[in-house]
Amino acid sequence: MKNQEIVFSKNQLQRYPIYLKLFRQLYEKGQISVSSPQIAKELGYSQEQIRKDLQAISGTPGRPKRGRSLERLIDDLEVFLGYRTETKAVLIGTGHLGGALLNYPNFESMGLHIVAAFDNDPAKIGERLGGKSILPMEELKGTMEKEGALVAILSVPGHVAQEVAESAIEAGAKGLWNFAPVHIAVPEGITVENVNLASSLAVLNHRMLSALSKEEQ
Amino acid sequence: MKNQEIVFSKNQLQRYPIYLKLFRQLYEKGQISVSSPQIAKELGYSQEQIRKDLQAISGTPGRPKRGRSLERLIDDLEVFLGYRTETKAVLIGTGHLGGALLNYPNFESMGLHIVAAFDNDPAKIGERLGGKSILPMEELKGTMEKEGALVAILSVPGHVAQEVAESAIEAGAKGLWNFAPVHIAVPEGITVENVNLASSLAVLNHRMLSALSKEEQ
């Protein structure tokens, strides 16, 4: 991986897929290069931020006035984000959210390949969801080892999330993508990334109500 | 709302539902008060952070040594997070993700009441999903006005998200909860909160690979 010495903040990492989406749109429309002012206008980030972000993954542009080549930016972003390298994952918990994730059409294009789905409900074992057979938890370790899966996607209820996380780590997971609304404690060397809808809703609610009360004043 | 003068950062707002979840768990187990060191141990935040967060929504505790009353903390958090006040929302886009969100069991307990679901696919109109009839987009404005819905949940494909957002704002939405993987431009006074799976995956991937390459060294 490039630029290993740069420490990327979470906010910065989160911006890269948004740049990539924009650059692909512009490229599809026939544009061949893009300038910081145009990106700033489209995404609302400062030009300074944009230059810093892009320099970190794509080096300095040759001639500032002409902007950056979209083809090269798309290339560099796809490599940086790991979209060109397959990462194998298992999904644990096949309720509504698990089903939605198994059916999510974009993961493959981001390099994430879900190889199998697991549940602890005997009634679900053997059913098919998003093109995968649902397997029992007893097969988790064998499947992860055989497939070389590094990521476990946790779409289980909060009260079992810690226990399921521990099984996944025991089975070889190095990264947990946690959709359960709880904190998960993990040993050093294991990465957890949370998608917490309650936290996101808290931000929306608070900011919306603050904006509304300002309007009323 | 309390403490309107305090400006809450996004990270801070995101922590409150995680505190609430922990406090409810401890309370259900029979505990009556909680100390910053215990919270720090459970959630991995610093004690200073915890004290600052809780003071902002719950005032100073009476006697530091005894910890804070869980009952009062739960009460203050539920009020602060708006879980005691109903916020009405519509959901637009009834694909897999929209279906998962309509079936998500916890929104009601967070004060979010989804009053109706919309889609632009004629084949889906009138079908039922998560207990709601799917309505055509032409009825969006009438429904939002009649119900007093302030939030639009956008679970539509990226290429139509901006257009759908504009319809929702025109129909009276003050807050957009955006699950489409694109940036949405909105006028002042409108709040957007994004749940971007590509961004979350970028963070997981990058951190996991950095941790793995450290181990190898």
Side-chain angles (χ1 to χ4, degrees), chain A residues 31-57:
Chain A
Q31 206 173 308
I32 59 162
S33 67
V34 67
S35 65
S36 300
Q38 185 187 8
I39 302 169
K41 191 162 164 275
E42 296 276 354
L43 300 183
Y45 310 149
S46 76
Q47 291 187 40
E48 195 192 335
Q49 181 79 82
I50 292 163
R51 274 190 288 267
K52 196 179 148 237
D53 286 350
L54 298 184
Q55 192 161 329
I57 58 121

Side-chain angles (χ1 to χ4, degrees), chain B:
Chain B
M1 190 173 287
K2 266 186 201 169
N3 303 311
Q4 204 112 55
E5 71 282 2
I6 298 175
V7 176
F8 292 91
S9 75
K10 184 164 178 159
N11 286 336
Q12 190 176 7
L13 290 169
Q14 287 176 333
R15 285 191 294 271
Y16 287 120
I18 298 166
Y19 287 119
L20 178 57
K21 190 100 189 174
L22 172 67
F23 297 161
R24 283 177 176 160
Q25 279 170 356
L26 298 177
Y27 189 71
E28 274 165 31
K29 283 182 192 160
Q31 205 171 309
I32 59 161
S33 66
V34 68
S35 65
S36 301
Q38 185 186 9
I39 303 169
K41 190 164 165 270
E42 296 278 353
L43 300 182
Y45 310 150
S46 75
Q47 291 188 39
E48 194 193 336
Q49 182 78 84
I50 291 163
R51 275 190 287 268
K52 197 179 146 234
D53 286 351
L54 298 185
Q55 191 162 329
I57 57 120
S58 200
T60 40
R63 306 185 196 176
K65 288 274 156 126
R66 306 183 106 188
R68 289 168 174 273
S69 150
L70 278 169
E71 206 165 346
R72 172 150 173 221
L73 281 171
I74 291 169
D75 221 55
D76 287 341
L77 280 166
E78 285 183 356
V79 169
F80 176 76
L81 289 168
Y83 290 4
R84 304 269 182 89
T85 328
E86 191 182 71
T87 303
K88 289 182 175 176
V90 296
L91 179 140
I92 308 174
T94 61
H96 290 294
L97 182 61
L101 293 172
L102 284 173
N103 281 297
Y104 194 70
N106 297 336
F107 289 148
E108 292 283 339
S109 69
M110 299 175 196
L112 189 77
H113 178 54
I114 303 178
V115 295
F118 294 86
D119 208 291
N120 68 350
D121 178 355
K124 286 187 167 178
I125 307 306
E127 273 187 24
R128 290 187 73 78
L129 192 62
K132 312 241 156 23
S133 286
I134 300 175
L135 304 176
M137 285 299 283
E138 294 74 45
E139 294 182 27
L140 181 67
K141 189 167 186 175
T143 306
M144 290 192 74
E145 284 175 358
K146 196 186 79 190
E147 297 278 357
L150 287 178
V151 170
I153 303 170
L154 308 180
S155 45
V156 296
H159 67 277
V160 297
Q162 180 67 41
E163 188 192 333
V164 168
E166 286 165 16
S167 306
I169 292 165
E170 226 276 295
K174 300 296 181 190
L176 303 177
W177 203 11
N178 175 39
F179 288 78
V182 290
H183 169 79
I184 289 182
V186 293
E188 210 176 324
I190 305 294
T191 305
V192 184
E193 167 67 12
N194 300 295
V195 179
N196 190 322
L197 295 186
S199 290
S200 176
L201 186 60
V203 176
L204 174 66
N205 248 329
H206 185 79
R207 298 204 166 159
M208 182 178 77
L209 295 176
S210 300
L212 286 175
S213 75
K214 259 186 219 155
E215 266 181 25
E216 276 165 20
Q217 276 164 17

